[in-house]
Amino acid sequence: MRGITVGTTAEREELLAAAVVEAVEGTSAYAGSVFLRSRDRRSIVLAATCGVPPSLLGGWRLIPVSSPIPVATAYTSGRTVHLADAEETMRRYPQLAVALPYAFGSCSVPVGAGGETFGSLAIIWAASPGGAGLSKAQRRHVRTIANRLGASLAALRTRIGDPVECAPETIPVENPAPSAPAVRVGLFDWDLISGMISVDDEFCTIFGLDPRTFDGQAKTLHASLHPGDLAAFRFGADEAASGSRTTSRRLRIRDHRYGGDGYRTVELWGRVPEADDAEPRTHLVGAIVDARAGSTALAAVERLRDGLFSLAPDGRVTYANHSALQLLDVSGDELLGRILWDVLPWLSDPDVESRHRSAMIAQAPASFLACPSPDRWLAFSLHPEADGVTGRVVPLGQPPSASTPSASSASSASSTESPTAATPTRLGVMHHVLQLGSALTEAVTTREVCEVVSDQLVPAFGGQQLAIYVVRNKTMHLLFHTGHHEDFLDWLEGAPLHARLPGTEALTSGAPLFIESRQDLSQDYPDIPTGEVSSWVYLPLIASSHPVGICVLGFDTTHQFTERDRGVLTALAGLIGQALERAQLYDSEFAIARGLQQALLPHRLPAIPGIRTVARYLPGTSGMDIGGDWYDVIPTTNGVSLIIGDVQGHSIAAAATMAQLRSAVRSFTAVGHTPGEVMAGVNRTLIDLDSGLLASCCCIHLEPRTHRAQAVTAGHPPPLLRRPDGTTDVLDLDVGPLLGVERASAYPGTRIALPPGSVLALYTDGLVEEPGADIDVGIDRLRASLAHARSDSLDELAGRLLHNARRSSYRADDIALLLTETAYGSGQQGPDGTSERPCADRPHDSARGPGDDPRSVTFRRE
């Protein structure tokens, strides 16, 4: 079925549909989807599906690009994400496994062209534990389809200006899973004057004719007709020609599958095209319909005593035989076209919907028991295929024992005196709670919490505006807003908690407020401006028994809130309130911790004649504790000492130890010790501190006038050296043991030459370590980046080396970087044609770019 897609072209729809169908049919998958980036590039939007409908897969239509979901990862990383089975899904993507706890595998690949990523394509298949998933050839096939789709989208953009983006309200193009047709239809165009008839291949197949040899003569069809129906066949044509507009006849044609000895009944439908009364009616166009397979199967199913029914992939009933209707005690008009568990209150248990969802996604049979009345039990079994589910229901002879495992029925509420008195929580409610709760566990700052709430609530409930206000000094203050109405709820800013306003009253009462129309708002709050919004939801955010704030969801058009909507939103309000309170505490502690860490690092680097120095520091994002990375530049009588170090762990203790080691390095350097002696003294100091922590450190004493240096390292990643010609090497130094291991450790020095114009890079392991990869790989990647990065200025060079780290939303460790450039000498010119001059001191500059995570503040000093 073709969906109505907002903001896309018909040609793009065709490309998306063809790609996802080809990906599903060319592998062992039974469902697939294509996501395209949103206009603001913050999300990917569901654009096309094949097989399982979006509602069955959790309703994900809008996914933030930062979400730990395979399709988002494929989009952001540009890599294939292949999950062979449910175990691997749980291990690598637990949030997805929580929302869809079923046995399936998936493969997600990026869609793009020319280095630009437009979205991602994903397919899923039924997977048993330990399965291998897709073969390498199948993965290449899916990647090829995605690449071809990306190239086609790029060409479409060039040709007609299609932006290759989706609006959040886009309705995806849906392609149902292929299924065997129950009805066959052949088309014809009969010239009643000449007797010639033009037919399609299906028409010939129904009549048992070879399309390649059929001569087009109507009389040739007579041999396939039952002799008793020849007159009716001719009469139908004459009747149409004489003036009737439509004709319908049942005909018996020879069944060639049984040697031509039997006949089957088909229906002939024909219509004479409109013509002026004066013009002769010369053509009969129409179709021949062979519904024997469907009608025969239907008759057979209706004879069964067992109840049989058919469900579409989304759970809607498409057929139920007479026995099923009797057992379920419902009429066909009440049941057909509706969700099974919505029609029957005693099936309104989350387990029923979960069994159906499990059967469809895992493509494995499922069964359950249900109790429509206290003295009657029914056994259900579900048998899935990609295009739907066949269900069987039979009465159970005796009620199951409560101790029997299978007796945990699908309807615990059904055994009460009034089965319809209370409807258990729907699985959809549970899904939204689980999905938002899972996403909120990974949101740390208040900004992240607000973005998660926006990403989950707005697309799930169809709102266009979302605002979150927090309580400060007993007044309301805007924390977050998204939507195109900039003045949405401006009147709530600064309002006291005792004011008679929708937001404050919902917050002080603790009860959600649902306003479905502007008339309702004006009636209850006549002085409140309605603006351009037509419906509102005010969700009080309560945590630890005190008001935290209010979450307001706005709708541009009048919106009616069902009981399900009210229940879901009420449940989600509690999760949001707790997450927001936790995030506010984090932000406060984070500000204190980072302020302390900033105070422990150098406020500015000294100006040293003959060299330039630039330092950067990026805190980790995995927690609120501060780390032990540090750097320093210490002038000496004959040059300068460059220091970088890393104390084990992330804690106040690590930061305090870092401060003490930095002081020790400065003390030993100030009295003229060599780098090896400095390192040995710092090692003894760390052992005497008895902190139980280890540390790595690298100390390089540089003599600008001779362009030589001596380097000592204590288990620290090796420095990098880029020479004036661009060649860049990892320095091969004699490595001493980590600080704090052995009191008598010695630290040998290595002499290195620094040609004028060289750049020396010292860094901590947070810049080069990646999960699951050897650190040498990261070091070599940094070496390549240093070799090829432009060096218009040392400041820009530092920014380029940290580019990927700053863009990452997750850094497991802190990062420190110290760059030093040696001068070209007195009177010589640098690579940019300017004369070398000493760098003047600059004050500490703690800068944050637009949109930077508050935990990735760059402490810039030069």
Side-chain angles (χ1 to χ4, degrees), residues 596-597 600-601 626-630 645-665 682-697 739-740:
L596 173 61
Q597 186 160 40
L600 294 175
L601 291 170
I626 59 178
D629 292 24
W630 94 94
D646 185 1
V647 177
Q648 171 191 27
H650 293 80
S651 63
I652 296 295
T657 302
M658 174 266 283
Q660 291 170 306
L661 294 187
R662 180 179 171 229
S663 297
V665 169
V682 175
N683 176 57
R684 293 191 298 271
T685 300
L686 181 56
I687 292 175
D688 291 341
L689 290 174
D690 195 25
S691 64
L693 299 175
L694 302 177
S696 68
C697 188
L739 302 175

Side-chain angles (χ1 to χ4, degrees), residues 623-712:
M624 67 175 62
D625 291 329
I626 59 178
D629 292 24
W630 94 94
Y631 55 85
D632 212 343
V633 177
I634 308 172
T636 65
T637 56
N638 60 343
V640 62
S641 289
L642 309 172
I643 311 294
I644 196 159
D646 185 1
V647 177
Q648 171 191 27
H650 293 80
S651 63
I652 296 295
T657 302
M658 174 266 283
Q660 291 170 306
L661 294 187
R662 180 179 171 229
S663 297
V665 169
R666 281 188 158 268
S667 299
F668 288 119
T669 302
V671 297
H673 286 315
T674 65
E677 294 170 339
V678 170
M679 205 66 69
V682 175
N683 176 57
R684 293 191 298 271
T685 300
L686 181 56
I687 292 175
D688 291 341
L689 290 174
D690 195 25
S691 64
L693 299 175
L694 302 177
S696 68
C697 188
C698 181
C699 175
I700 298 180
H701 184 261
L702 189 153
E703 300 175 358
R705 294 184 180 180
T706 64
H707 299 292
R708 300 189 67 83
Q710 185 179 26
V712 172

Side-chain angles (χ1 to χ4, degrees), residues 612 756-757 821-825 827-837:
R612 294 188 180 99
E821 183 179 26
T822 60
Y824 278 80
Q828 294 185 341
Q829 290 186 331
D832 56 359
T834 60
S835 297
E836 174 62 26
R837 296 180 182 176

Side-chain angles (χ1 to χ4, degrees), residues 206-224:
I206 293 173
F207 269 86
L209 303 173
D210 187 343
R212 296 168 297 181
T213 59
F214 177 53
D215 58 8
Q217 295 286 337
K219 61 182 180 181
T220 305
L221 302 177
H222 295 174
S224 297

Side-chain angles (χ1 to χ4, degrees), residues 593-608:
R594 291 311 178 198
L596 173 61
Q597 186 160 40
Q598 181 177 349
L600 294 175
L601 291 170
H603 286 193
R604 59 181 175 180
L605 302 181
I608 309 296

Side-chain angles (χ1 to χ4, degrees), residues 42-113:
R42 294 176 54 192
S43 306
I44 51 176
V45 183
L46 184 62
T49 66
C50 176
V52 175
S55 59
L56 203 65
L57 296 176
W60 277 312
R61 292 180 181 269
L62 182 70
I63 299 178
V65 296
S66 59
S67 295
I69 301 294
V71 289
T73 301
Y75 170 75
T76 55
S77 68
R79 301 175 181 174
T80 298
V81 180
H82 178 253
L83 304 173
D85 56 13
E87 181 179 348
E88 186 175 6
T89 302
M90 174 61 77
R91 185 174 66 254
R92 295 175 57 188
Y93 293 90
Q95 183 172 321
L96 177 65
V98 167
L100 297 174
Y102 310 114
F104 68 94
S106 66
C107 181
S108 302
V109 298
V111 173

